[in-house]
Amino acid sequence: MSLSLRDAHRHADRILERVRGGAHDGNEVVAQSWTRCVNEYRLDPARRHEPAVVSRAELEDRRARRADVIACARYEMTTLFQQLADTESAVVLTDTDGVIVHMVSTPEFGAEVGPLGLRVGGRWSEAAAGTNGMGTCLAAAGPVSVRREDHFFPEFAQLTCSAVPVYDPQGEIAAVLDVTSRSSLMQQHLLVLLGMTARMIENRLLDARFRAAHPLHFHARPEFVYTLHEGKLAIGEDGRILAANRSALFQLGLQSMDEIRDRRLDELFETSLEDMLQRSSSASFHPVVMYRANAALRFFAVARRPASDPHAPAQAVAPVATAAANTARAAARGGVRTPDGTTFGDPRLVRHLETARRVVARRTPVLLTGETGSGKEVFARALHEASPHAGGAFVAVNCASLPETLIESELFGYRAGAFTGAQRNGRRGKILQADGGTLFLDEIGDMPLELQARLLRVLDERQVTPLGTEETHPVDFQLVSASHCHLPTLVREGRFREDLYYRLAGIELALPALRERSDRRELLHAVLAAESEGSGTLTPEAERLLMDYAWPGNVRQLRHVLRSAAALADGRPITREHLPSLQAAAAPPALALPVAPAQPAAAPAEPLPVKLNPIQANERQVLLQLLEQHRWNVSNVAKALDVSRNTLYRKLHKLHIEVSHPD
């Protein structure tokens, strides 16, 4: 693993020559580290390095002193390691002396690098191991990458280390997070991932150390609340600020915790803790507006009761959250939170989100497939929050809900007077609005063929030309598309361009329907908490009915059902009687589907079409019952399911439910 003897001597001569000459090219952080190693630590790169490892007793003492940091980092490190998918790498956590207190790697790679001291208990400060990712990160108090022969000792010259500091809620370095591998590539993308993971660890550490405090989440943009980018304050019962994360300090224009520690919330913002708690509860814990004191700065925020308060309303699982996420590596702790509070706890969804996060970092388009209401837009938002374009806008376009005559102007925009009815000042299209962010094209299969050609040209050229003008505008956005249709089938039928399909499907991910998700129970309770302002409870019979229901409208339908049930229950436990639509669906066919001869559809008692599988047959039965409840008014059924009529008609056709004429 180390250099040959001749190369080792050359390596040592190069370092000593550059330190003594004082002139350095390349990485200035590495050059400064070499100087420290020679002049301050009296290290000699020509001498064989003997790894330093602390005793077992000392290691246990160090791990005990960093127990909460390790606990907060453990799952994030495991998920980061899985995300990297590199068997010749290790994710490492050191204390502030550079001693490794936790490490994740394959057994094989661990056995290879263990003799170098890259194992739990190994000491990697600069004084002990020369220039290296972990020790130099501590010395420089910032992110560093040390590639191969940038290491001080030749024994490490076939390793590349990237490391970032992890800060505690008081703004002090609590640990260093590092990835060491055999890669020779530039590590900027890895530093970004490490930085995201470090922020997730820091947020978890703030929660762990201040469980008795009120958490306040805020950001200048509402969609960033509950994401990795949010500012977070821990506030005491008396309204005094106890701690903050780095994003909070950055957004407030502060350099350190010393500038706000023990100040009251109403000294920073034009609001009080009591007011924020009341308004947050009234808004179902969606972001509400608050203003910076003595400044014209607007923020969106949510305040909550302490996590240790047994009466505190249920909170959404943190991501990204992502990851997602919201963002990205909350999978190992049971879920990924998205910006609207939805939780991804299903292993397939978590894996899909991690896969999508990896590919969007390489500017690869993502195509999502799944039933209507299964959460494709929610998933896309979580992906946006964890992408390199998270700082830009998330722009969603539903290609099925827009009239064909408006899709072109919506996507590409137009200049003033481009057509009759155009706005006086023209309009920026959705593609230009998404510049620097994410463009989400929902129900892309419903886009007319002629517009598919224009979209393909935009994707290839990365330029957009508004209607009525010849001016072109360069655009840079992350593309995420979604469809409930099977696009290859549309391609074979000539209804979708094959070249556009391959341009959209850099990677194609199928999202499971609600009835297929393993986290149904947890999601059910999370949605209920959001729709009932944290006060909703279920009787065992009601929960069983909700769990057994097929949910043809998926998560979207679940939200509407629970919102109605919470209103009917009015603070009391929700019973079966508060779920009338589900009771009707669960009733015996003879009762649930009375024959209505005057209605324009086939009788529900007809034999099931042979092409339907058991799941589709169940969907068909549920839709028939919903149609019966709404006297076969397709518009009302579409509203109840929160889908477009076109989408519902397609579903009816697919399930062989005949409606003689549009309503």
Side-chain angles (χ1 to χ4, degrees), residues 84 101 168 276 316 327 594 597 625 632 656:
L84 295 174
V101 292
D168 66 18
M276 283 302 305
T327 162
Q625 290 160 354
W632 292 84
H656 298 266

Side-chain angles (χ1 to χ4, degrees), residues 331-347:
R333 65 174 181 270
V336 175
R337 186 194 61 193
T338 66
D340 72 343
T342 301
T343 302
F344 291 159
D346 181 89

Side-chain angles (χ1 to χ4, degrees), residues 202-277:
E202 291 164 1
N203 288 342
R204 286 170 61 85
L205 190 59
L206 189 150
D207 291 339
R209 290 189 178 177
F210 292 91
R211 285 183 54 80
H214 296 266
L216 183 128
H217 315 255
F218 72 95
H219 198 279
R221 294 172 59 173
E223 65 268 27
F224 285 175
V225 177
Y226 292 131
T227 75
L228 192 61
H229 307 283
E230 71 174 2
K232 198 168 187 179
L233 300 176
I235 305 171
E237 195 67 42
D238 60 356
R240 295 190 180 278
I241 297 171
L242 306 176
N245 68 359
R246 282 190 283 167
S247 179
L249 297 178
F250 174 78
Q251 291 187 64
L252 296 174
L254 305 174
Q255 300 301 314
S256 71
M257 261 303 298
D258 293 336
E259 299 179 62
I260 58 170
R261 186 182 289 111
D262 292 331
R263 292 178 64 182
R264 292 180 56 84
L265 181 65
D266 54 18
E267 295 179 51
L268 279 181
F269 302 101
E270 294 179 351
T271 186
S272 65
L273 176 60
E274 296 74 16
D275 176 61
M276 283 302 305
L277 287 170

Side-chain angles (χ1 to χ4, degrees), residues 340-392:
D340 72 343
T342 301
T343 302
F344 291 159
D346 181 89
R348 287 167 295 180
L349 278 173
V350 173
R351 287 196 299 269
H352 282 344
L353 192 55
E354 294 303 318
T355 298
R357 281 170 170 159
R358 287 199 296 271
V359 300
V360 297
R362 296 178 177 271
R363 307 175 67 85
T364 301
V366 176
L367 174 63
L368 306 176
T369 62
E371 295 180 6
T372 298
S374 58
K376 295 187 287 295
E377 182 171 346
V378 172
F379 185 98
R381 286 184 180 274
L383 177 58
H384 167 72
E385 293 298 333
S387 76
H389 288 76

Side-chain angles (χ1 to χ4, degrees), residues 53-319:
V53 180
V54 302
S55 68
R56 185 177 186 84
E58 181 181 348
L59 174 62
E60 292 306 314
D61 179 62
R62 288 178 177 274
R63 289 168 62 92
R65 279 184 276 148
R66 291 287 187 272
D68 58 349
V69 181
I70 297 171
C72 292
R74 186 185 302 272
Y75 297 121
E76 308 296 353
M77 293 171 63
T78 298
T79 312
L80 175 59
F81 178 74
Q82 294 171 344
Q83 182 183 21
L84 295 174
D86 183 356
T87 58
E88 294 191 326
S89 68
V91 181
V92 178
L93 187 76
T94 79
D95 63 13
T96 52
D97 293 322
V99 175
I100 298 177
V101 292
H102 187 62
M103 177 170 155
V104 181
S105 71
T106 62
E108 295 77 12
F109 187 69
E112 290 180 18
V113 296
L116 297 175
L118 192 67
R119 61 187 179 91
V120 173
R123 191 186 295 272
W124 285 79
S125 64
E126 278 191 341
T131 304
N132 70 89
M134 295 159 276
T136 303
C137 176
L138 282 169
V144 300
S145 285
V146 179
R147 296 174 61 201
R148 296 204 167 188
E149 293 185 18
D150 286 344
H151 285 90
F152 188 81
F153 287 110
E155 285 84 353
F156 309 139
Q158 290 192 24
L159 295 176
T160 292
C161 307
S162 297
V164 297
V166 178
Y167 292 88
D168 66 18
Q170 304 306 321
E172 302 294 331
I173 294 180
V176 166
L177 184 67
D178 169 272
V179 170
T180 295
S181 71
R182 290 208 179 101
S183 173
S184 62
L185 301 177
M186 292 295 290
Q187 300 295 299
Q188 287 304 113
H189 70 290
L190 187 52
L191 284 175
V192 172
L193 291 175
L194 280 165
M196 292 173 62
T197 303
R199 278 184 284 170
M200 295 185 73
I201 296 171
E202 291 164 1
N203 288 342
R204 286 170 61 85
L205 190 59
L206 189 150
D207 291 339
R209 290 189 178 177
F210 292 91
R211 285 183 54 80
H214 296 266
L216 183 128
H217 315 255
F218 72 95
H219 198 279
R221 294 172 59 173
E223 65 268 27
F224 285 175
V225 177
Y226 292 131
T227 75
L228 192 61
H229 307 283
E230 71 174 2
K232 198 168 187 179
L233 300 176
I235 305 171
E237 195 67 42
D238 60 356
R240 295 190 180 278
I241 297 171
L242 306 176
N245 68 359
R246 282 190 283 167
S247 179
L249 297 178
F250 174 78
Q251 291 187 64
L252 296 174
L254 305 174
Q255 300 301 314
S256 71
M257 261 303 298
D258 293 336
E259 299 179 62
I260 58 170
R261 186 182 289 111
D262 292 331
R263 292 178 64 182
R264 292 180 56 84
L265 181 65
D266 54 18
E267 295 179 51
L268 279 181
F269 302 101
E270 294 179 351
T271 186
S272 65
L273 176 60
E274 296 74 16
D275 176 61
M276 283 302 305
L277 287 170
Q278 189 276 324
R279 290 200 293 141
S280 297
S281 177
S282 298
S284 300
F285 299 99
H286 292 292
V288 297
V289 174
M290 68 177 184
Y291 291 88
R292 181 74 189 275
N294 305 316
L297 296 176
R298 183 180 67 171
F299 295 94
F300 296 85
V302 176
R304 291 184 177 272
R305 302 291 304 171
S308 60
D309 185 343
H311 302 294
Q315 299 189 29
V317 181

Side-chain angles (χ1 to χ4, degrees), residues 417-597:
F419 53 86
T420 302
Q423 293 180 8
R424 180 179 301 174
N425 298 321
R427 184 171 183 175
R428 294 178 74 232
K430 298 293 187 181
I431 293 177
L432 273 174
Q433 293 175 33
D435 187 27
T438 297
L439 178 66
F440 175 60
L441 298 178
D442 198 8
E443 301 300 356
I444 186 67
D446 290 323
M447 178 175 284
L449 275 169
E450 59 271 19
L451 290 188
Q452 293 177 25
R454 282 203 66 185
L455 176 62
L456 180 63
R457 188 161 59 250
V458 170
L459 298 180
D460 286 337
E461 299 175 358
R462 290 288 164 169
Q463 292 182 333
V464 62
T465 304
L467 299 178
T469 179
E470 296 181 357
E471 297 179 2
T472 59
H473 302 270
V475 287
D476 176 32
F477 55 83
Q478 172 63 48
L479 179 65
V480 181
S481 308
S483 178
H484 72 282
C485 303
H486 186 237
L487 292 186
T489 299
L490 298 185
V491 170
R492 288 194 296 272
E493 295 173 353
R495 292 190 289 154
F496 201 84
R497 292 181 63 107
E498 184 175 19
D499 48 2
L500 178 59
Y501 167 68
Y502 289 118
R503 189 67 176 78
L504 298 175
I507 185 169
E508 187 170 343
L509 301 172
L511 305 190
L514 175 58
R515 63 182 172 275
E516 301 168 348
R517 288 175 57 166
S518 62
D519 63 342
R520 279 199 317 282
R521 192 180 305 277
E522 294 79 4
L523 180 61
L524 188 159
H525 286 284
V527 172
L528 176 60
E531 298 298 337
S532 65
E533 299 184 10
S535 62
T537 58
L538 297 167
T539 64
E541 295 80 8
E543 182 172 319
R544 189 157 49 248
L545 181 60
L546 289 162
M547 288 295 294
D548 291 342
Y549 187 62
W551 299 111
N554 290 291
V555 180
R556 185 181 293 134
Q557 184 190 6
L558 172 66
R559 288 190 182 280
H560 285 287
V561 168
L562 291 178
R563 184 179 303 161
S564 300
L568 292 172
D570 195 22
R572 295 167 295 168
I574 294 173
T575 66
R576 291 175 62 94
E577 285 64 38
H578 300 132
L579 303 166
S581 61
L582 270 62
Q583 286 198 85
L591 297 177
L593 294 171
V595 177

